[in-house]
Amino acid sequence: MEKIIINANINPKLKKFLLWFVRLFGVGRLKKYSWSIIRAGLIIGISFIIIYPILVKVSSSFKSEADLYDSTVIWIPRQLNLENFTLVFDQMRYLSSLWNSIKLSFMATALQLVSCTLVGYGLARFKFWGRSIVFSLVIFTLLVPPQTIMVPLYMHFRFFDLFGIIEAITGSRGVNLMNTYWPFALTAMTCMGIKNGLYIYMIRQYFRGMPKELEEAALVDGAGVFKTFYQVMLPSAVPTLVAVILFSFVWQWNDTFYSSLFWTSTKGLPGALSSLMDNVRELYEQTGRPYNDFTSSMLNNTGSLMVIAPLIILYAFAQRYFVESIERSGLVG
Amino acid sequence: MKRPHLTLEQKKAIPGYYFVLPFVIGFLLFFLYPITQSFIYSFSNFNLSPDGYTLTHVGWEHYKHAFFSHAKFNRILVGTVQDMVTDVPLILIFSFFAANLLNQKFRGRLVARAIFFLPVIMACGIILQMERGDFIQSLLRASGDTMGMGTSEQSSTVGSLMLLQSLFRTLPQQLAWLATYISDAVNKIYEIINASGVQMLIFLAGLQSISPSYFEAATIEGATGWESFWKITFPMISPLIILSTVYSIIDSFTVFDNRMMSILNDEFYLYHHYGLASAMVWVYFIVISVIIGLVIWIVNKGVFYQE
């Protein structure tokens, strides 16, 4: 390195500085520092791009309409204004939507967790005939776009019936399960919820890596199959399960596909948010307030913020487990 | 009655059936049944009545309509595939790169990881849907030289294109597409970051699972970081490349703001052409399967399996 600098045809002052720099830090250190700086730059840059939309949401949710047209206001509004929040709160029927979403997400997450853990464990630890077929079917469910089964699934739950039993008893064509929790509960119980194949895959990969001796030791100590499962194997799988819980909770929370399919009049937060603009426009037209893209965007941002706020709080608490759990999660076999 | 004699192995296998039972039931009831139904719908006219629905068989009518009479179907099908082909490599490269960054030891690594995985939470479903149509976000990006990032779409395209053109001037004409591709990638960086959360997770978990002793041995033998990356990290992680590729392809095909999804939703929710919508979905599904099959076949050749 020093030779290169001495031989280089550059300004003598710069050459002196470079030599001093190299001698002070050493070539290895220099390399390390320059990489650290580049890395820090990259990480800060990417983090900024990720956080940017949240900043926009927070900033625009506190703005008032006057701030929108004030060219001196870019990020921080002139005064604290909570009117957006109260308006959105009313128009989304926030509390009831929130409560619906909480019930739905907790129920679906719990059921999916139980069913996917059972199936993942079964696929990992038992050598039964047809195991590879079942596993390839799990992967198959992941590959098929849910739109393929959208129409029949709707019909299935609109006129829900098991082998014609209900029709035989009541005489009408099945029961209408629209706007209830049943479609979500039934699909979650049977591993057919959102991306459940991925969870089964993660859990299977994790349990596949557990030593066989553990199982045998439990057997010798007199534990049955199910006792081995929930007392010996399950406790060590907690990090993987946390990752599954987070995924399934979040994806259920933000989901619009299934919730708009099964819930036409009942609304969770996503449903309330997507109809927010129509409600607001109507309200503005009735009261004669000017309504334009700026206002709608400001209120949309407020609404989005209120939908993700519970998730961000959850993530702040669970993030530690989540990030650590990836290291031990069964994503890799 | 004498029970059939089972070996110990077979006896031990029986509980396995209980464990996978939920999935088997779900698969039969909520997957196999709907998917065959949808296949039947695609060959029928679908009439909804208050007490159910009736089907009348029409043969290949809907498929013919989708291909030959529908105004947009062909164009959008091709366009969706094109979008996938351009986006997926970018997503894979970015997520692999980011996972490598996050795998290194530096101060604030936990914070960086927490932020990098935020898109898994934020950039899905309704939130993404709202963001795409948002006016202030696009406006801020347009005027937003405030923080030195996000210039308006046209001017930044022009700017980065000009920069790239000067960079690539020495390259032969045949490589011009590369310049366009890279400048598009720069413009789409936000979408790419948003779409790579899960892939990043997959790669990071893979990187964590490589035993450090390999790297130690390589360092003792005198391998540089560059060499051990290509000779150890890359082969060890290559099985995960299939997983991430397939995940990205499916994700890009089924994401809501994909144009194909929007015409499917129109046919379904707006016009209630269930038969036609099913036929379109089947064509789409077959295209996806063929592409995924091809990709797996190609990538599989270059993959290194430890077993």
Side-chain angles (χ1 to χ4, degrees), chain A residues 87-93 97 267 271-287 291 299:
Chain A
L87 183 66
V88 170
F89 193 88
D90 288 340
Q91 293 303 316
M92 278 172 68
R93 292 200 207 83
S97 308
K267 291 252 155 69
L273 183 56
S274 42
S275 59
L276 171 69
M277 271 311 99
D278 296 333
N279 296 347
V280 169
R281 191 177 302 128
E282 214 167 278
L283 183 81
Y284 270 54
E285 270 160 17
Q286 277 167 12
T287 52
Y291 176 84
L299 293 170

Side-chain angles (χ1 to χ4, degrees), chain A residues 35 39 43 48 53-54 57 126-127 129 143 147-148 152 156 190 195 247 254 256 297 300 315 326-327 332, chain B residues 17 26 29 34 38 104 106 113-114 121-122 124-126 129 131 134 136 149 190 201 206 247 250 261 281:
Chain A
W35 172 234
R39 184 175 56 198
I43 287 174
F48 180 70
I54 308 177
K57 283 192 192 78
F126 299 97
K127 285 203 182 87
W129 183 87
L143 296 187
Q147 280 75 7
T148 319
H156 204 27
T190 53
K195 292 187 187 169
F247 276 147
N254 286 340
T256 48
S297 169
N300 254 336
Y315 186 67
I326 316 156
E327 304 188 359
V332 181
Chain B
Y17 290 110
L29 276 183
S38 121
Q104 296 183 341
F106 55 89
R113 283 190 187 176
I121 292 186
M122 310 273 298
C124 61
I126 185 73
Q129 221 157 317
E131 220 150 75
D134 189 70
I136 290 185
M149 74 160 276
Y190 178 64
L201 262 170
Y247 185 86
I250 296 169
M261 289 293 110
V281 156

Side-chain angles (χ1 to χ4, degrees), chain B residues 86-95 119 132 181-182 184-197 199-200:
Chain B
T86 48
D87 288 354
V88 168
L90 294 175
I91 292 171
L92 287 175
I93 292 167
F94 174 79
S95 54
R132 287 293 149 84
Y181 186 67
I182 294 174
D184 280 353
V186 173
N187 285 333
K188 277 197 285 195
I189 184 75
Y190 178 64
E191 280 80 12
I192 289 165
I193 290 177
N194 270 347
S196 19
Q199 291 87 329
M200 218 144 61

Side-chain angles (χ1 to χ4, degrees), chain B residues 72-116:
Chain B
K72 290 182 278 185
F73 183 72
N74 288 330
R75 211 151 28 90
I76 285 181
L77 187 64
V78 174
T80 315
V81 174
Q82 275 173 348
D83 286 352
M84 187 281 292
V85 171
T86 48
D87 288 354
V88 168
L90 294 175
I91 292 171
L92 287 175
I93 292 167
F94 174 79
S95 54
F96 188 59
F97 174 74
N100 271 300
L101 267 185
L102 292 180
N103 195 34
Q104 296 183 341
K105 286 203 165 53
F106 55 89
R107 281 175 76 194
R109 179 164 76 149
L110 279 180
V111 180
R113 283 190 187 176
I115 293 174
F116 273 52

Side-chain angles (χ1 to χ4, degrees), chain B residues 248-267:
Chain B
S248 318
I249 294 176
I250 296 169
D251 208 39
S252 121
F253 273 134
T254 53
V255 72
F256 74 91
D257 68 340
N258 160 337
R259 284 169 292 166
M260 192 68 195
M261 289 293 110
S262 65
I263 62 167
L264 286 175
N265 281 338
D266 283 353
E267 292 296 338

Side-chain angles (χ1 to χ4, degrees), chain A residues 34 65 72 116 127 148 151 195 204 261 274 288 293 300 329:
Chain A
S34 55
E65 258 159 67
T72 57
C116 292
K127 285 203 182 87
T148 319
V151 186
K195 292 187 187 169
R204 167 186 173 266
L261 187 66
S274 42
D293 285 345
N300 254 336
S329 79

